[in-house]
Amino acid sequence: MAFGKSKNRRRQDAAQTKAAVTGAVRSHGPGVLKAILLTGLTCALVWGGIELRRWALSSPTFLLKETTFSGLERAAPGELLKLSGLTVGQNLWALDVETLERAMATHPWVRTVEVRRHFPSSVSVEVSEHVPAALAVLGDLYLVDEDGEPFKRLQPGDKLDLPLVTGMDREGYLSDEAKTRERFHQALEVARAYAATEPGKRARLSEVRVAAEGLVLVLADGTEARLGEGDTDAKLQRLSRVREELRARGLSAEVIHLENRARPGWVAVKLSSPASERSGASQ
């Protein structure tokens, strides 16, 4: 008897619900019926999405099996994996790509990094590294890239033969990084232009000094070429011609002045003392 009453009650509830829906449709039009159907469909989709996500996060199909790297020359795959915590067996759906990229970008050689998931079970990492262009004195020796950014303190294992940029200090860099990078960038542009005018490397560039009055080149033979500011290409061409003339005469220069603003085409040369005079010996 109790069972029969419960069954009848369910029938009555269903009949009442049907009557309520029918009454609502009659009172408010077919829009109410569409809203009811859409609500039910939405609930079904949400439930299905939850179940699908639960399956994807627990399925062995999406466990990481392989990570590949491209663009590496100085950074090692193992170093980047250690920084990011990326390991075999992690679920690809659960990986936070942006967090992985930020972690790998803390490696001193890494300039940019892009992590991609390849379903069902692999990850690729594309890296762009800093290209060292010079050494800079900022308290310690730092590597500077082609954009003028100091990116790494020089280590004993960094076997690099690069020109030295001096005249900047750590305090100045920290107080105005943009200005310091711009000055580094100017120094590097001059260094590249000098290398183009001296392809034979008869006088390798040793140092670019950033001074208040402009840039100063220090060559491997000790010659100083004071360029000042602006008109770099023309000054380097004059520098090359002057050095050729000095070589032809068997002379060497201590300082070559090319920074005369009043007479930009003028070059003044301070000759080096003969070896006998420098050593104090008589001829």
Side-chain angles (χ1 to χ4, degrees):
M1 180 66 74
F3 177 79
K5 288 183 180 180
S6 178
K7 186 174 180 180
N8 289 336
R9 187 175 295 111
R10 286 199 300 270
R11 288 176 179 174
Q12 290 174 1
D13 291 342
Q16 290 174 358
T17 301
K18 182 177 180 181
V21 171
T22 302
V25 171
R26 288 175 179 172
S27 301
H28 302 284
V32 173
L33 180 59
K34 291 181 180 179
I36 294 171
L37 293 176
L38 287 174
T39 301
L41 179 60
T42 301
C43 292
L45 289 174
V46 169
W47 180 85
I50 293 172
E51 289 300 311
L52 182 61
R53 174 178 172 77
R54 183 178 299 149
W55 170 78
L57 291 173
S58 61
S59 173
T61 303
F62 302 110
L63 297 183
L64 178 62
K65 296 179 181 177
E66 181 183 24
T67 302
T68 59
F69 290 85
S70 62
L72 295 182
E73 291 187 18
R74 296 184 179 274
E79 295 171 341
L80 299 185
L81 290 173
K82 184 177 180 180
L83 285 172
S84 66
L86 188 62
T87 59
V88 171
Q90 290 179 318
N91 185 281
L92 258 65
W93 289 105
L95 295 180
D96 187 331
V97 171
E98 292 184 357
T99 298
L100 294 173
E101 291 174 343
R102 285 195 298 270
M104 293 184 186
T106 61
H107 192 286
W109 281 104
V110 173
R111 185 170 181 268
T112 63
V113 59
E114 184 174 3
V115 176
R116 291 190 180 96
R117 294 177 292 183
H118 302 277
F119 292 95
S121 58
S122 66
V123 166
S124 66
V125 182
E126 184 177 350
V127 175
S128 172
E129 293 187 351
H130 291 281
V131 178
L135 297 173
V137 180
L138 294 171
D140 294 321
L141 279 175
Y142 282 82
L143 295 175
V144 178
D145 67 15
E146 294 175 315
D147 295 326
E149 180 183 351
F151 66 92
K152 180 184 182 295
R153 184 181 285 108
L154 183 68
Q155 301 294 330
D158 298 327
K159 298 179 180 180
L160 297 166
D161 185 14
L162 298 169
L164 184 66
V165 179
T166 61
M168 312 295 288
D169 56 49
R170 182 177 178 82
E171 289 73 19
Y173 175 71
L174 293 176
S175 63
D176 194 340
E177 293 185 14
K179 181 179 178 180
T180 304
R181 282 198 298 268
E182 177 60 26
R183 295 299 278 166
F184 278 137
H185 188 67
Q186 292 173 357
L188 293 175
E189 285 186 335
V190 171
R192 285 191 287 267
Y194 176 82
T197 61
E198 294 286 346
K201 296 184 179 179
R202 288 174 295 185
R204 186 178 63 84
L205 182 61
S206 176
E207 177 186 346
V208 181
R209 186 182 307 146
V210 180
E213 62 274 12
L215 297 177
V216 179
L217 304 185
V218 181
L219 310 184
D221 61 6
T223 301
E224 283 191 9
R226 300 183 181 179
L227 302 183
E229 298 284 359
D231 203 16
T232 299
D233 291 339
K235 290 177 179 179
L236 290 178
Q237 292 297 329
R238 287 196 290 273
L239 173 63
S240 182
R241 290 195 297 269
V242 168
R243 286 178 57 79
E244 286 287 351
E245 182 67 21
L246 291 173
R247 277 192 291 266
R249 297 185 183 189
L251 301 172
S252 60
E254 182 178 337
V255 181
I256 300 176
H257 293 271
L258 300 112
E259 77 276 34
N260 193 321
R261 293 184 178 181
R263 296 179 174 85
W266 283 31
V267 178
V269 179
K270 179 182 178 182
L271 296 176
S272 299
S273 301
S276 58
E277 292 183 17
R278 292 197 300 270
S279 63
S282 60
Q283 295 185 5

